[in-house]
Amino acid sequence: MKVSGHRRITIKDVASAAGVGVATVSRVLSGGSASPETRERVLAAAAQLDYRPSALGRNLRQRRTGGIALLVPDITDTFYGRLAEGVLSCARSAGEPVMVGATGDDPEQEAELIGTFLEQSVDRVIAVPSGDADTWTPALRAGLTVVFAHRRPPGRDDVPAVLADDRLGTRTAVEYLAGLGHRRIAFLGGPGGGPRLRAFRDTLAALGIPGDDELVVTARAARDSAYAAASGLFQHRPDLTAVVAGGNMLGEAAILAARELDLRIPRDVSIVMFDDVPWAELCSPPLTVIAQPAQDIGYRAAELVMRETTRRTRDTVLPTELLVRGSCGPRLGKP
């Protein structure tokens, strides 16, 4: 592979030359896990292209330009838009510029953006993470201050996070549905939904409701995937009577799929959704939601990342609230 000598070599160039993903290059160059063959290919490509991340890392502290980088899965999503608004509001009051990147909930894209931030000498990063713990090793080893917002990668407990109380929100929703007589309650999840799924299963067990793996469906971070997951769930399990949707895209998909299949809400199926987005109140019937303080999550994350140090900082957990509207009703007609 030939790369023009008129521009700086990036981590993406190394990945392309080695025939691996950006996340793999990041792991290898930061000393993370990789097979010997993969490590050799990456190091050979880096040497051939004269890519020297170690020099960048040594100089990073001296060449910092300031500013905050914000990584979110989708800037058009209402929830992430409100989270970004909170970050921008706090940063503006402190005179800090903010660079925003969208990952599409793709770990490879996230790793590429992290590499870009390292090369541009950004000081601090607030992220709704998509990748695993190793994805963030290069940024942390280079000395960046990182704060996670809304969720965190498993195994990355050394990085502080600002989170909504997913466990309480999920438990409240499931207990509400169970109180209406529902027993076959489905969970429609997406990327990063592990804590909510665990809370869902734990709450069912605490209520004495048997778990059913067929009533748990996970979608990718795309509307077509969410719709396919919701539609398949309704068709495969016509006996279900209620759904907890783990995000607003998933809730939208559940509503559309129910309408396509002539399922009446809430007579045939009750729906509770995470995120109180504006359209939730405009649905017919209005949608019952687990409201999360998205803007406050962003604001608190910005406050935290601008501190002198985040070492030994505890997570900030903000409350959720169940807003009961018209999309849930008593279990009817299905034995």
Side-chain angles (χ1 to χ4, degrees):
M1 172 186 173
K2 294 184 178 180
V3 179
S4 170
H6 298 293
R7 67 174 180 85
R8 183 171 56 188
I9 302 300
T10 69
I11 194 171
K12 189 174 182 181
D13 296 323
V14 178
S16 178
V20 299
V22 172
T24 301
V25 176
S26 293
R27 282 198 300 273
V28 170
L29 297 183
S30 63
S33 60
S35 69
E37 179 185 354
T38 299
R39 184 179 299 278
E40 184 178 345
R41 286 212 318 273
V42 169
L43 294 178
Q48 180 184 358
L49 296 174
D50 198 25
Y51 180 71
R52 294 187 291 267
S54 57
L56 174 64
R58 286 195 299 270
N59 294 331
L60 208 64
R61 294 184 183 277
Q62 299 170 350
R63 298 197 294 108
R64 290 280 175 85
T65 58
I68 299 170
L70 171 63
L71 283 178
V72 295
D74 181 0
I75 58 175
T76 67
D77 183 283
T78 304
F79 176 84
Y80 296 123
R82 293 194 345 256
L83 188 152
E85 186 179 337
V87 171
L88 292 169
S89 175
C90 184
R92 191 182 305 116
S93 67
E96 288 280 358
V98 178
M99 178 188 307
V100 181
T103 66
D105 255 326
D106 179 358
E108 290 288 333
Q109 178 69 11
E110 180 175 81
E112 182 178 332
L113 286 167
I114 292 170
T116 299
F117 295 151
L118 286 170
E119 291 165 351
Q120 294 181 351
S121 303
V122 169
D123 269 321
R124 291 153 287 190
V125 179
I126 298 169
V128 179
S130 303
D132 59 18
D134 287 344
T135 302
W136 290 93
T137 300
L140 295 169
R141 287 188 176 174
L144 267 69
T145 301
V146 178
V147 171
F148 294 134
H150 181 52
R151 64 194 187 206
R152 64 146 36 92
R156 199 81 264 184
D157 295 336
D158 55 333
V159 175
V162 181
L163 310 166
D165 195 340
D166 281 343
R167 187 168 188 83
L168 177 61
T170 305
R171 186 177 73 221
T172 302
V174 174
E175 289 176 344
Y176 172 66
L177 291 169
L180 293 172
H182 296 282
R183 292 296 179 269
R184 285 186 290 277
I185 305 171
F187 182 85
L188 186 56
R196 292 174 184 173
L197 177 55
R198 286 192 293 273
F200 174 80
R201 285 177 164 150
D202 289 347
T203 305
L204 290 179
L207 293 170
I209 300 175
D212 187 336
D213 289 341
E214 288 189 350
L215 292 178
V216 174
V217 178
T218 302
R220 292 181 289 102
R223 279 184 165 77
D224 57 348
S225 176
Y227 178 82
S231 181
L233 176 64
F234 288 139
Q235 293 181 70
H236 185 61
R237 290 300 299 267
D239 60 324
L240 72 83
T241 63
V243 175
V244 176
N248 66 76
M249 183 187 297
L250 298 163
E252 176 185 312
I255 293 168
L256 292 175
R259 288 177 178 171
E260 286 288 326
L261 296 169
D262 292 325
L263 294 174
R264 296 161 295 179
I265 304 171
R267 183 176 179 84
D268 297 323
V269 62
S270 293
I271 297 177
V272 180
M273 176 184 79
F274 267 89
D275 302 343
D276 185 23
V277 292
W279 59 260
E281 273 192 294
L282 303 177
C283 287
S284 179
L287 200 59
T288 294
V289 299
I290 305 157
Q292 304 177 94
Q295 188 168 346
D296 202 14
I297 290 173
Y299 196 97
R300 297 284 191 93
E303 283 184 326
L304 186 55
V305 85
M306 288 191 291
R307 289 183 185 175
E308 288 298 320
T309 180
T310 59
R311 290 182 181 179
R312 295 185 295 276
T313 300
R314 292 183 177 181
D315 290 347
T316 301
V317 180
L318 303 177
T320 57
E321 181 182 5
L322 180 68
L323 302 180
V324 177
R325 294 178 179 140
S327 63
C328 298
R331 179 177 62 89
L332 298 173
K334 295 180 182 180

